Amino acid sequence: METISKRRPQLLVHGPAVSSSSAVRTRDVGYLGRLQCHGRGLGEEPPMEGFGNKPTYPRSQSDTLRGHVTGCGCVHAYVGLSSDSKTASRRPEVIHDIVIMAQPKVFHCDPRNFEVTEEMIESFNTRGYVFVRGFLDKEELEQLRKTVEDTDLFVKPFFALLDDTGGKTERCIWRHPGNDVTGIIARSEKVAGTAEQLLGGEVYHYHSKLMTKAPRVGGRHLWHQDYGYWYQNGCLFPDMLSVLIPIDPCGKINGCLEVLEGSHLMGRLDHSLRSGLQGCDPERIEQVKTRCPHMYVEMDPGDAIFFHCNLLHCSGNNLSDTKRWVLISAYNKASNDPVKKHHHPNYTKLEKVPNSAIRECRNYTDLSGKEFTDPRTSGDTTININFGKSSAL
């Protein structure tokens, strides 16, 4: 490891490539000053933020840390001894891990004329996701809110699952899209049609769910792949994806989606039941972070992210004073019809509708045909039914 400067505290980092807009965060480290980087495709000074209450080097904001960044992900921070030390020329000491937080790739669109581009398909194949700002316009978003928030029809079938922090998430899951606004969204060309273009063939609706985290008590989801669940359902190939559409703002404070970019290329990892839900080995996740950038996907209501079923993702607790609701629809390729019957549907032809049907739909209360599932009776063995009493949020 090359030492850039021996006269002042040094930060040397290594790991896989990062854009100039990336933010560097540290765990249990106070002020770290500026990071001056040199490397392929790097800016002069990406913003650096420290948090925690254990200040280390440098001891004042007049100090500047220098380093060589060759990548993005979880890397090691090396800090040299102070300049007046007789041992300042020694190999820098590893004191903390830092995470270089790159920003997720974002696409913008005209929600009335959405089209999948070659760049989006490339992003899905290489990054594992397509993140679209403004996917639903204000009228479409209002239609969705009127359906799920103005009545208690979606709250009644809620069930709750506990996490290892004492928090809980509440959700309802349905097998078929139906003809209400949520079903029309799931059947629309810009949702189902996009899924077909990203997966490269006909898809069917595998299931949808309304996922909720209540203020201050909303629980977290561990790092996992959706295919960690769905493989157990007899889906032989990972020809599947999900699309998440927030109804409320989703940020770090209320447990937004987090992803490890490109992790879908590793294939399926081993999963086990951990506090009610499937999760990956935490040690393996830390190893993956050294190669795959860890990104917080902060979203506005009406945004959308399509993500591959093998993309590692998680979400944190809701520490805010506001609720966090998201609509998620999952799709399976028609050629990947599960080899066994289970709590989600086998291939069922999907009747797609034009995007204009979302704004034109006036069915806010008839949920017939959706077939809500209850893990207490559905035979779902992929979760631990250790949930608390369901309540309206």
Side-chain angles (χ1 to χ4, degrees):
M1 178 66 69
E2 177 188 1
T3 300
I4 304 295
S5 169
K6 297 181 180 179
R7 295 296 302 164
R8 32 196 338 167
Q10 309 135 24
L11 174 66
L12 305 182
V13 297
H14 66 86
V18 59
S19 68
S20 60
S21 63
S22 301
V24 178
R25 294 188 174 275
T26 67
R27 293 191 292 271
D28 299 324
V29 177
Y31 172 76
L32 284 180
R34 298 193 311 276
L35 173 63
Q36 296 183 349
C37 342
H38 311 277
R40 178 174 56 85
L42 300 180
E44 285 295 322
E45 296 181 1
M48 172 179 268
E49 301 176 32
F51 60 90
N53 53 14
K54 297 180 181 180
T56 54
Y57 299 101
R59 301 186 187 279
S60 73
Q61 294 193 11
S62 62
D63 288 324
T64 298
L65 300 176
R66 294 178 178 272
H68 182 82
V69 179
T70 59
C72 181
C74 180
V75 298
H76 291 294
Y78 294 84
V79 178
L81 301 175
S82 59
S83 59
D84 59 353
S85 170
K86 296 179 180 179
T87 59
S89 61
R90 289 182 181 174
R91 177 184 175 89
E93 171 190 7
V94 179
I95 60 165
H96 283 286
D97 280 342
I98 68 172
V99 179
I100 298 178
M101 303 301 296
Q103 300 297 315
K105 172 70 176 177
V106 176
F107 294 92
H108 298 271
C109 75
D110 175 357
R112 297 286 179 102
N113 298 285
F114 178 78
E115 293 184 354
V116 178
T117 65
E118 288 299 322
E119 190 179 3
M120 290 179 182
I121 295 174
E122 180 185 10
S123 179
F124 183 78
N125 290 335
T126 60
R127 296 182 174 90
Y129 65 87
V130 178
F131 178 19
V132 184
R133 291 282 190 195
F135 185 72
L136 297 184
D137 64 20
K138 291 182 179 179
E139 186 178 349
E140 292 168 332
L141 181 60
E142 183 57 31
Q143 286 279 85
L144 175 58
R145 285 174 166 159
K146 186 180 295 187
T147 306
V148 301
E149 293 184 334
D150 287 2
T151 74
D152 64 353
L153 295 176
F154 282 86
V155 174
K156 286 179 179 178
F158 272 2
F159 62 92
L161 290 173
L162 302 177
D163 69 12
D164 56 352
T165 69
K168 68 177 180 179
T169 58
E170 295 189 288
R171 71 199 71 191
C172 59
I173 302 176
W174 54 96
R175 290 164 50 88
H176 301 292
N179 296 302
D180 66 306
V181 173
T182 65
I184 296 300
I185 291 174
R187 292 164 52 198
S188 68
E189 282 290 345
K190 68 179 181 180
V191 175
T194 298
E196 289 185 329
Q197 292 189 63
L198 295 178
L199 291 176
E202 180 190 357
V203 302
Y204 73 96
H205 178 267
Y206 193 50
H207 63 272
S208 288
K209 52 192 171 186
L210 181 65
M211 302 277 287
T212 71
K213 296 185 180 187
R216 296 291 174 184
V217 299
R220 68 174 187 157
H221 289 89
L222 302 176
W223 285 105
H224 69 282
Q225 300 163 312
D226 289 340
Y227 194 52
Y229 291 83
W230 301 341
Y231 173 84
Q232 300 180 53
N233 296 338
C235 300
L236 298 184
F237 295 91
D239 295 334
M240 312 174 78
L241 62 73
S242 297
V243 55
L244 181 154
I245 301 175
I247 298 169
D248 303 302
C250 293
K252 296 175 187 177
I253 188 65
N254 67 351
C256 68
L257 179 72
E258 303 172 38
V259 303
L260 296 182
E261 184 177 279
S263 58
H264 66 301
L265 298 174
M266 297 186 302
R268 182 180 63 89
L269 302 184
D270 289 337
H271 287 64
S272 61
L273 278 172
R274 299 173 182 270
S275 184
L277 294 168
Q278 297 284 332
C280 295
D281 176 17
E283 182 178 353
R284 175 55 60 92
I285 292 298
E286 291 306 309
Q287 294 167 348
V288 175
K289 287 181 180 179
T290 67
R291 307 292 179 88
C292 298
H294 176 192
M295 299 188 179
Y296 289 85
V297 186
E298 297 188 291
M299 306 176 72
D300 295 321
D303 290 346
I305 182 168
F306 295 78
F307 57 97
H308 192 278
C309 65
N310 268 334
L311 184 71
L312 282 163
H313 60 285
C314 73
S315 64
N317 297 82
N318 184 355
L319 304 178
S320 76
D321 294 322
T322 58
K323 68 180 179 68
R324 182 266 206 189
W325 286 25
V326 299
L327 174 68
I328 302 176
S329 292
Y331 297 86
N332 187 17
K333 203 169 178 181
S335 59
N336 195 35
D337 191 25
V339 297
K340 67 179 183 181
K341 303 292 184 182
H342 58 286
H343 53 286
H344 296 318
N346 283 67
Y347 171 72
T348 307
K349 185 173 179 57
L350 181 63
E351 298 294 339
K352 292 184 292 183
V353 298
N355 297 330
S356 59
I358 302 174
R359 297 185 299 276
E360 296 166 356
C361 182
R362 295 297 178 266
N363 177 14
Y364 308 111
T365 58
D366 181 4
L367 307 186
S368 59
K370 299 180 86 68
E371 295 186 20
F372 287 87
T373 63
D374 185 334
R376 290 166 291 194
T377 59
S378 68
D380 184 358
T381 60
T382 63
I383 62 175
N384 178 9
I385 312 174
N386 178 27
F387 53 88
K389 183 178 179 180
S390 180
S391 61
L393 302 183

